[in-house]
Amino acid sequence: MEPKYSLVHLTGISTPPPEFIRIAAAAGYDCVSLRTISMGMPGEVPHDLTRPELLRETRRALEETGIIFNDTENTRIVEGTDVKDYEPHLAAAAELGVRHILGNIWTPDRSYYTDQFGKLCELAAQYGLDINIEFVTWASVTNLRQTVELLKAVNMPNAGIMIDALHFYRSRVQLSELDGLPPEWFRFMHLCDCEEEIPTEREKLVHTGRAERLYPGEGCIDLKSLVQRLPADIVWGIEVPHLARLEQYGLEEHARRALQWAKTYFAAE
């Protein structure tokens, strides 16, 4: 079975969703993974689907291209988060047919983030959505073990895990840690590649994660073994933010090259 490929918004995060959807279609993707819930970061360009005009234009782009809006982000949990604030964003995403939401954890208070994540899953369930935690190497929940502990603690049927290949590698997660985990926990993943050396400074981890990811098959990550441990029907998101290549090629060509690298890599024996 051929995988469905999704172009992940961080690859060209300043691009508005309607334009991003059309670029994904032109570059040969099946789906998009958008960031429509602001992370509140300095310099971030919000793409808020609760704005009626943006919602209409995004819907039009999806209808015209046939692209699937697979998932959106980011319901991150930080100190002081009230997950009820995410409800309008969840409702807007569900209106466009989204079923998967990505989130991550940015507070070390385990009791607090477990409680908030459970409440978020309950809220999302009202809209037919699932919440998928991405562990991030420089966040508070940084590895697969912590993420599994969180899912077991909340015990919600719509809770899941989103594996990002970069964080899987840089958090030094072992492939064997995936063995025996419920397959229904995994609904989509992010693919990219990187150099073998793992930076020790947070600033370098963040920089390469947001600005210098390599195309799948271009670096050292054993992506083939990783995808073989996950369900065969999950969507493969291509997330390759690389500022120099984006400037050199433009987003459409950069996205096209990333997809071709992935297909060539996975087709090779």
Side-chain angles (χ1 to χ4, degrees):
M1 179 175 60
E2 290 294 320
K4 281 186 168 59
Y5 284 96
S6 182
L7 183 59
V8 182
H9 212 165
L10 189 60
T11 304
I13 192 59
S14 65
T15 309
E19 181 184 352
F20 192 84
I21 290 164
R22 292 187 170 94
I23 287 172
Y29 289 80
D30 309 290
C31 315
V32 290
S33 304
L34 299 178
R35 180 177 295 173
T36 62
I37 306 171
S38 173
M39 293 181 67
M41 298 176 63
E44 181 179 9
V45 179
H47 305 297
D48 187 350
L49 289 181
T50 64
R51 292 162 43 202
E53 183 179 356
L54 182 58
L55 184 70
R56 285 194 301 270
E57 291 300 317
T58 301
R59 187 196 307 278
R60 181 177 295 115
L62 293 169
E63 292 172 348
E64 290 176 356
T65 61
I67 286 284
I68 298 166
F69 187 177
N70 183 71
D71 57 277
T72 196
E73 57 180 71
N74 186 325
T75 53
R76 67 177 191 154
I77 295 174
V78 300
E79 199 67 40
T81 293
D82 183 349
V83 295
K84 292 180 181 178
D85 293 340
Y86 290 131
E87 184 166 9
H89 302 281
L90 299 181
E95 189 174 334
L96 292 180
V98 176
R99 289 294 173 265
H100 312 305
I101 307 294
L102 181 147
N104 33 52
I105 309 296
W106 298 86
T107 170
D109 187 336
R110 182 173 176 177
S111 176
Y112 174 78
Y113 73 64
T114 300
D115 177 67
Q116 288 297 307
F117 181 59
K119 290 177 179 177
L120 179 59
C121 289
E122 291 176 355
L123 179 64
Q126 298 176 29
Y127 295 93
L129 301 168
D130 46 61
I131 304 292
N132 304 273
I133 290 294
E134 173 193 31
F135 56 87
V136 176
T137 309
W138 58 85
S140 298
V141 170
T142 64
N143 57 48
L144 182 61
R145 176 187 55 78
Q146 291 174 296
T147 312
V148 169
E149 289 173 352
L150 176 57
L151 262 66
K152 289 181 176 179
V154 299
N155 192 29
M156 295 288 292
N158 64 332
I161 299 174
M162 203 294 296
I163 298 290
D164 180 299
L166 181 74
H167 301 308
F168 191 93
Y169 176 76
R170 288 186 164 181
S171 291
R172 295 177 171 83
V173 180
Q174 300 300 307
L175 288 167
S176 58
E177 294 181 52
L178 291 166
D179 294 344
L181 296 181
E184 60 269 20
W185 281 0
F186 302 96
R187 303 172 176 104
F188 61 106
M189 69 179 302
H190 288 173
L191 293 169
C192 67
D193 220 327
C194 67
E195 303 290 348
E196 183 175 6
E197 181 181 0
I198 300 175
T200 55
E201 301 89 352
R202 184 182 189 278
E203 292 75 15
K204 289 185 177 180
L205 287 169
V206 173
H207 174 74
T208 52
R210 293 178 178 164
E212 286 187 352
R213 297 196 191 202
L214 302 180
Y215 297 144
E218 190 180 12
C220 70
I221 303 177
D222 186 359
L223 297 172
K224 291 180 181 177
S225 294
L226 177 56
V227 301
Q228 287 170 1
R229 300 287 181 116
L230 296 172
D233 60 347
I234 69 174
V235 169
W236 292 2
I238 302 292
E239 185 175 55
V240 286
H242 194 295
L243 299 185
R245 286 175 170 172
L246 197 60
E247 182 176 358
Q248 179 181 2
Y249 299 127
L251 178 55
E252 183 179 326
E253 181 60 24
H254 177 48
R256 183 179 292 112
R257 286 170 177 257
L259 182 60
Q260 187 56 56
W261 265 89
K263 289 184 175 180
T264 300
Y265 168 77
F266 285 110
E269 295 295 333

